Amino acid sequence: MIPIQAILIVLILGLGIYFIRRARSRLAGRAVLLTFILTLSVFVLFPGLTTWIANVFGIGRGTDFLFYTFALFVLYALSMIYLRLREQDRKMTIIVRTLALQSAIKPDVQEAFESKETEK
Amino acid sequence: MNESNWEYDKRRTFVVIPAFNEGRVIQDVLNEVILLGSPVVVVDDGSSDDTYRLAAELPVHLLRHPVNLGQGAALATGLQYALSEGAQIIVTFDADGQHLAEDIPYLVAPVAAGQVEVALGSRFLSSDFSDRPQPAIAAADAERGAGNAQDSGNPYTVSVARRILLKSAVIFTGMTEKIWLSDAHNGFRAFSANAARQIKLTQNRMAHATEIVSEIARLKLSYIEVPVRIRYTQYSRLKGQRASDAVNIIIELLEMLFTGEEHAR
């Protein structure tokens, strides 16, 4: 095992544990994450594997295959983040609106009429 | 309720005014509107100046967003509040002095008569307005650089850049919703309570104007455009230099088109 493999494995496992801990216990999310960790670890340990897979798909290099996979994953992750942000926007709007409605001040119309009369 | 029997009940007609940092003119604007005798709802959209304090001095309903959400959100809050207070008709009105309170009855009329559910103010519909009361120009107006309508520096004309921007909004709305208006970006509108209840406003920021039209299309609400006057002053021109808003609107609307959903539902 060359040093880079050891370092990458440790990093991947570390990140994986970190995110699993922080994620809400959604089975699907965890499953995806677990698969991601395992797959990446396998590729790190058996680099020749990526070349073989790449050839199966008709891509030249293993690195290219990993790059494409990574690109897809990034797009997926960005969409998830975007959806979360939108959901937060929605919830924040509800909260702000509720606060505004609860602290509404009604006009003191009688007072105003009287003072307007005396102004004239 | 038989809508053709509606009487124009001033006390059930609410004027909703979203405001953001309009401290300089808010009291002048509110005083004009209050004179009409209808309840006024001011929604302070998290202003950092003293808009809220100044509005509180006047006999208006006053709400405040603790943080700035956008004109669309402030409008939605105002509409919800007005409906909860028993509004039968709701007028939306800008806080920067561009709209004339004297035009409100003309916007309300078709809705009150039951002809339409929504009346949309348009600055591009020609009308000589001679049958309408002239606005009382407050002293502060002179300071702001406004003139009488008869002056050569007519504050009621639209600058070319602004016209292009506004007409683009018209084209966009026309192509996406198949509703062709003469002015798609005018905050001066009147809604029946029925329409206000059904319209779902989810766009918090500037794209809410287009969302209103798309809601009208979706709900198949009857509507009409009513000519209104716009008062351009030095003050409103300063605030009006928001060409970057056009880019923001387009981006927000593209998102809406691509995802098929809106924000903050």
Side-chain angles (χ1 to χ4, degrees):
Chain A
M1 181 183 282
I2 61 179
I4 182 77
Q5 287 178 316
I7 295 172
L8 285 174
I9 287 287
V10 168
L11 276 176
I12 289 167
L13 285 176
L15 274 175
I17 294 173
Y18 175 69
F19 280 115
I20 282 189
R21 278 256 171 98
R22 295 194 59 210
R24 297 181 286 173
S25 47
R26 273 263 180 84
L27 196 60
R30 287 189 170 191
V32 169
L33 189 56
L34 201 61
T35 316
F36 172 69
I37 294 170
L38 287 176
T39 321
L40 226 51
S41 310
V42 162
F43 286 144
V44 165
L45 290 171
F46 303 104
L49 202 54
T50 60
T51 324
W52 179 79
I53 293 180
N55 289 333
V56 168
F57 278 105
I59 306 170
R61 309 185 315 171
T63 339
D64 288 348
F65 165 71
L66 275 181
F67 176 75
Y68 299 142
T69 318
F70 183 65
L72 286 175
F73 173 74
V74 165
L75 287 177
Y76 167 76
L78 281 178
S79 329
M80 290 295 111
I81 291 175
Y82 175 70
L83 286 175
R84 282 295 299 273
L85 279 178
R86 271 214 338 210
E87 181 63 10
Q88 286 199 335
D89 268 351
R90 186 187 72 85
K91 289 182 175 173
M92 186 180 68
T93 301
I94 291 175
I95 294 172
V96 173
R97 180 160 300 140
T98 305
L99 282 173
L101 291 168
Q102 282 177 353
S103 56
I105 298 180
K106 299 216 204 289
D108 214 342
V109 185
Q110 202 50 35
E111 231 182 63
F113 264 127
E114 283 160 14
S115 66
K116 275 205 178 318
E117 289 295 312
T118 55
E119 256 173 53
K120 296 178 186 175
Chain B
M1 172 183 274
N2 186 346
E3 300 196 290
S4 59
N5 286 343
W6 266 4
E7 278 189 304
Y8 174 20
D9 185 348
K10 283 190 180 178
R11 287 169 313 161
R12 305 287 293 273
T13 302
F14 282 60
V15 183
V16 169
I17 304 182
F20 179 65
N21 287 347
E22 303 283 2
R24 262 183 83 186
V25 299
I26 189 67
Q27 289 196 331
D28 291 334
V29 173
L30 290 179
N31 278 325
E32 274 188 52
V33 181
I34 291 170
L35 284 177
L36 292 176
S38 286
V40 177
V41 178
V42 178
V43 183
D44 171 22
D45 190 18
S47 299
S48 50
D49 68 357
D50 49 2
T51 298
Y52 185 83
R53 181 183 65 77
L54 291 169
E57 292 177 7
L58 299 174
V60 297
H61 297 257
L62 187 53
L63 288 78
R64 173 195 240 168
H65 284 163
V67 293
N68 172 255
L69 291 181
Q71 194 181 29
L75 250 163
T77 301
L79 289 183
Q80 188 171 326
Y81 177 81
L83 285 171
S84 73
E85 291 288 303
Q88 282 177 346
I89 300 176
I90 302 175
V91 178
T92 62
F93 193 87
D94 281 358
D96 58 4
Q98 284 199 12
H99 295 150
L100 300 179
E102 289 77 6
D103 283 344
I104 290 179
Y106 296 92
L107 210 57
V108 172
V111 180
Q115 287 169 13
V116 290
E117 301 271 1
V118 182
L120 303 166
S122 168
R123 78 199 83 197
F124 292 124
L125 287 180
S126 48
S127 173
D128 63 8
F129 295 120
S130 56
D131 53 330
R132 296 199 191 176
Q134 282 295 311
I137 307 281
D141 240 4
E143 179 226 328
R144 296 203 299 270
N148 288 320
Q150 291 77 26
D151 286 355
S152 54
N154 188 338
Y156 296 97
T157 56
V158 192
S159 73
V160 177
R162 205 131 183 85
R163 187 181 288 262
I164 294 176
L165 191 61
L166 292 167
K167 284 303 184 182
S168 321
V170 170
I171 292 172
F172 185 92
T173 324
M175 286 181 13
T176 51
E177 306 301 336
K178 311 286 181 276
I179 292 185
W180 289 89
L181 303 170
S182 57
D183 189 350
H185 220 276
N186 195 321
F188 207 166
R189 307 180 179 94
F191 301 89
S192 67
N194 182 43
R197 255 188 288 273
Q198 294 181 62
I199 288 177
K200 271 187 149 53
L201 270 187
T202 65
Q203 291 284 346
N204 283 356
R205 300 250 163 228
M206 291 314 294
H208 75 273
T210 326
E211 189 181 32
I212 287 178
V213 182
S214 82
E215 282 294 276
I216 290 175
R218 176 179 75 87
L219 296 162
K220 304 202 197 324
L221 295 170
S222 54
Y223 67 93
I224 188 178
E225 278 197 296
V226 175
V228 294
R229 295 165 284 187
I230 299 290
R231 174 169 48 203
Y232 292 103
T233 62
Q234 277 178 6
Y235 175 74
S236 68
R237 262 186 244 278
L238 280 174
K239 303 204 88 192
Q241 302 316 328
R242 307 186 216 109
S244 57
D245 270 359
V247 182
N248 283 334
I249 292 172
I250 290 171
I251 291 178
E252 285 192 46
L253 285 166
L254 281 176
E255 283 177 3
M256 191 163 83
L257 284 174
F258 273 105
T259 62
E261 285 184 16
E262 305 86 27
H263 302 165
R265 180 186 289 280

